[in-house]
């Protein structure tokens, strides 16, 4: 190792993911080993992602991390497990131009600076830990020249947060629960890449919530301890559903995909209700969105839109194609219009080119929306202002990438401190 005070760094971007067959319950809390397999779709990182810069320098005196600009502690066991696992696989690194030469063994003594940023508000209750831990592990693997494939890296990210292991790939991803005690076969694999089913459109309704939700970690611990339905789900229901979902994705069979996604989301929330004390993640707005989608799907005869809800009230709605997504957005904005002072472009974010297609880019366009024809009763017309904070329009997306452009780094190349 040369004695100069160089700073060597890597910046990477990693997507978030949403499960369509849910992970809920651990058989090993420390290694984060699940009680069932799960399947997710990776969301386009242009709209939802984490960017992480990791740096190493002989001048750093301890490992430090900044999340969204604020320094956070790395002392928790999840961070420590990820750092230990990745350090133990580090390789030799040499950058002649910068005068950097790090041998395998040096990594044990060298300290790291890590800066991470989500391009979506943490308060939105979207799975930031999934993208966060996946990005931490992916960027460190690049920095340290770790010679492991994405599945092997997923087993490290898993130890940061279970759902993070599925963010190591784009497209549709399966986390195989594995059977070994050491967790080495509890890894994510890619089912299909993001191009395989690229007419899907995903609209997320970020639902306003006043209550502080039970964290996934403690919620699933309580479910494992008290819910008989969880045992039945893990043993008898999910194994069959996983096979059916694999088929549905392979064949782009939207009807089966929708039936399975909705049923699995509803069963996950039923397990939460079956937990003692019961856990409520969805609220009235979530339930209203489910009713609207169910009514629409029924009236069309074939499913148009799938829904799924994680450990919070936000609705993730998956439309089979762009035309359906346009109708969906019109229906959603009819029932959940923005507050009068809200600009449409900040109410529908992500791929908001859809606003134009929906005829919703002009002034007063929301007021002119007609009620969806299938809704005959008058369940809440345009009186739900403020129930949805905003919508994110996105699609299936790619896996992690290194960002070679130095201007995107979150750490200063001379000091290794946040810019
Ligand atoms: C409902 O991965 O956040 O989103 O492993 O304890 O960190 P830990 O939990 P986490 O749980 C995610 C639960 C879920 C379903 C899913 O993503 O499969």
């Amino acid at each position: 190792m040369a004695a100069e005070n160089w700073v060597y760094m890597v910046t990477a971007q990693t997507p978030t993911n949403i499960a369509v067959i849910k992970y809920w319950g651990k058989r090993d809390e420390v290694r984060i080993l699940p009680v069932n397999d799960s399947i997710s779709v990776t969301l386009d990182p242009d709209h939802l992602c984490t960017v992480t810069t990791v740096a190493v320098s002989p001048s750093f005196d301890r490992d430090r991390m900044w999340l969204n600009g604020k320094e956070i502690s790395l002392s928790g066991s999840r961070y420590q497990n990820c750092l230990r696992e990745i350090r133990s696989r580090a390789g030799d690194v040499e950058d002649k131009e910068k005068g950097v030469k790090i041998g395998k063994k040096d990594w044990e003594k060298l300290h790291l600076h890590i800066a991470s940023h989500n391009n979506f508000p943490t308060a939105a209750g979207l799975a930031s830990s999934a993208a966060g831990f996946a990005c931490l592990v992916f960027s460190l693997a690049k920095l340290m020249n770790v010679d492991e494939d994405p599945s092997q890296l997923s087993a490290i990210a898993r130890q940061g947060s279970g759902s993070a292991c599925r963010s190591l790939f784009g497209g549709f991803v399966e986390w195989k629960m594995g059977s070994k005690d050491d967790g080495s076969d509890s890894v994510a694999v890619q089912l299909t890449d993001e191009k395989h089913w690229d007419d899907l459109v995903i609209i997320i309704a970020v639902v306003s919530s006043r209550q502080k939700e039970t964290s996934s970690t403690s919620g699933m611990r309580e479910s494992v301890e008290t819910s008989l339905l969880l045992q039945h789900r893990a043993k008898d229901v999910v194994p069959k559903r996983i096979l059916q979902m694999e088929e549905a994705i392979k064949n782009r069979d939207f009807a089966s995909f929708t039936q399975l996604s909705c049923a699995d989301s509803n069963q996950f929330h039923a397990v939460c209700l079956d937990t003692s004390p019961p856990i409520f993640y969805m609220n009235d707005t979530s339930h209203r969105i489910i009713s609207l989608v169910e009514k629409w799907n029924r009236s069309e005869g074939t499913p148009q839109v799938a829904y799924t809800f994680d450990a919070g009230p936000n609705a993730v709605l998956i439309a089979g194609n762009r035309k359906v997504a346009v109708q969906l957005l019109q229906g959603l904005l009819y029932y959940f219009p923005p507050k009068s002072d809200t600009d449409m472009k900040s109410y529908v974010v992500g791929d908001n080119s859809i606003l134009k297609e929906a005829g919703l880019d002009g002034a007063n366009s929301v007021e002119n929306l007609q009620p969806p024809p299938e809704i005959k009763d008058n369940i809440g017309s345009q009186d739900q202002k403020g129930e949805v904070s905003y919508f994110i329009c996105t699609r299936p997306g790619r896996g992690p990438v290194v960002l070679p452009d130095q201007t995107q780094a979150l750490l200063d190349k001379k000091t290794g401190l946040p810019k």
Side-chain angles (χ1 to χ4, degrees):
M1 195 175 11
E4 304 92 303
N5 274 354
W6 44 261
V7 176
Y8 179 64
M9 60 170 103
V10 167
T11 300
Q13 178 202 53
T14 301
T16 187
N17 71 79
I18 177 87
V20 289
I21 301 291
K22 304 289 183 195
Y23 147 53
W24 195 251
K26 298 181 183 72
R27 62 179 201 277
D28 181 327
E29 290 249 355
V30 177
R31 293 189 174 88
I32 310 197
L33 301 176
V35 294
N36 57 256
D37 297 340
S38 55
I39 294 181
S40 59
V41 54
T42 297
L43 305 181
D44 189 338
D46 284 351
H47 309 132
L48 292 159
C49 73
T50 297
V51 169
T52 301
T53 300
V54 287
V56 61
S57 167
S59 67
F60 298 165
D61 59 0
R62 62 189 196 280
D63 292 343
R64 297 177 73 182
M65 175 162 181
W66 295 263
L67 177 60
N68 295 324
K70 249 181 81 186
E71 184 155 14
I72 60 161
S73 163
L74 280 170
S75 64
S77 60
R78 290 175 173 220
Y79 281 115
Q80 287 302 315
N81 290 348
C82 287
L83 291 175
R84 187 194 62 243
E85 292 290 318
I86 204 91
R87 271 195 171 104
S88 73
R89 291 164 173 82
D92 298 331
V93 171
E94 185 165 10
D95 183 329
K96 287 208 174 105
E97 223 173 275
K98 291 202 181 83
V100 177
K101 195 166 193 288
I102 308 169
K104 249 183 214 287
K105 289 268 172 317
D106 299 329
W107 289 106
E108 298 296 331
K109 289 169 266 147
L110 285 165
H111 295 289
L112 301 163
H113 281 188
I114 303 160
S116 200
H117 179 81
N118 299 323
N119 73 348
F120 53 92
T122 315
L126 299 160
S128 53
S129 65
F133 276 105
C135 209
L136 175 75
V137 169
F138 180 81
S139 53
L140 285 175
K142 295 293 169 196
L143 182 86
M144 298 181 175
N145 193 19
V146 171
D147 182 23
E148 306 255 303
D149 66 27
S151 273
Q152 289 165 309
L153 292 182
S154 81
I156 305 176
R158 189 200 74 226
Q159 297 174 57
S161 181
S163 52
C165 73
R166 298 185 311 238
S167 273
L168 265 304
F169 296 95
F172 283 93
V173 185
E174 182 169 327
W175 174 11
K176 296 193 178 288
M177 62 182 284
S179 57
K180 293 189 184 159
D181 285 345
D182 69 358
S184 56
D185 59 351
S186 188
V187 298
V189 294
Q190 187 177 52
L191 295 177
T192 67
D193 70 15
E194 61 279 16
K195 289 181 210 85
H196 169 75
W197 204 352
D198 63 356
D199 38 2
L200 297 180
V201 178
I202 303 169
I203 298 180
I204 304 172
V206 178
V207 170
S208 317
S209 157
R210 264 161 281 128
Q211 84 198 54
K212 171 89 187 79
E213 278 118 27
T214 313
S215 75
S216 301
T217 307
S218 59
M220 67 177 86
R221 182 184 306 128
E222 287 160 21
S223 294
V224 168
E225 282 165 7
T226 63
S227 169
L228 283 178
L229 180 57
L230 179 139
Q231 312 292 333
H232 167 62
R233 166 178 165 73
K235 189 164 155 280
D236 302 316
V237 181
V238 176
K240 290 192 197 94
R241 251 181 213 162
I242 287 281
L243 298 175
Q244 291 166 332
M245 187 56 106
E246 286 173 1
E247 274 303 294
I249 292 167
K250 193 172 100 199
N251 302 324
R252 291 186 289 258
D253 172 354
F254 190 72
S256 304
F257 174 81
T258 299
Q259 191 271 323
L260 292 163
S261 306
C262 299
D264 202 71
S265 171
N266 290 332
Q267 188 177 62
F268 152 51
H269 290 277
V271 166
C272 293
L273 273 185
D274 190 48
T275 299
S276 177
I279 307 165
F280 310 102
Y281 283 127
M282 293 195 284
N283 64 17
D284 286 352
T285 311
S286 321
H287 293 146
R288 210 165 283 139
I289 294 174
I290 293 182
S291 295
L292 295 172
V293 173
E294 288 283 355
K295 278 202 181 112
W296 188 18
N297 283 346
R298 243 157 259 261
S299 76
E300 295 284 334
T302 54
Q304 306 292 303
V305 174
Y307 57 81
T308 187
F309 294 74
D310 272 352
N314 298 336
V316 178
L317 304 167
I318 308 176
N321 58 56
R322 191 83 180 174
K323 196 167 151 248
V324 169
V326 166
Q327 279 174 275
L328 171 66
L329 188 68
Q330 289 167 332
L332 288 168
L333 289 180
Y334 173 79
Y335 283 105
F336 304 100
K339 291 187 181 151
S340 11
D341 54 346
T342 311
D343 164 49
M344 269 317 252
K345 288 228 159 66
S346 59
Y347 195 53
V348 178
V349 303
D351 173 16
N352 54 20
S353 63
I354 195 167
L355 279 174
K356 195 156 189 252
E357 288 158 70
L360 290 165
D361 52 342
N364 303 326
S365 47
V366 176
E367 279 85 348
N368 299 335
L369 283 170
Q370 295 303 307
E374 69 281 0
I375 313 290
K376 301 220 171 46
D377 51 12
N378 209 13
I379 56 149
S381 48
Q382 294 209 25
D383 58 1
Q384 264 95 238
K385 284 203 174 96
E387 285 197 22
V388 171
S389 307
Y390 58 97
F391 294 96
I392 306 168
C393 184
T394 185
R395 60 176 85 86
R398 63 164 187 266
V401 290
V402 168
L403 301 177
D405 178 1
Q406 284 291 328
T407 62
Q408 287 175 289
L410 303 173
L411 296 170
D412 182 88
K413 64 175 193 259
K414 289 211 176 76
T415 63
L417 290 167
K419 279 180 177 171

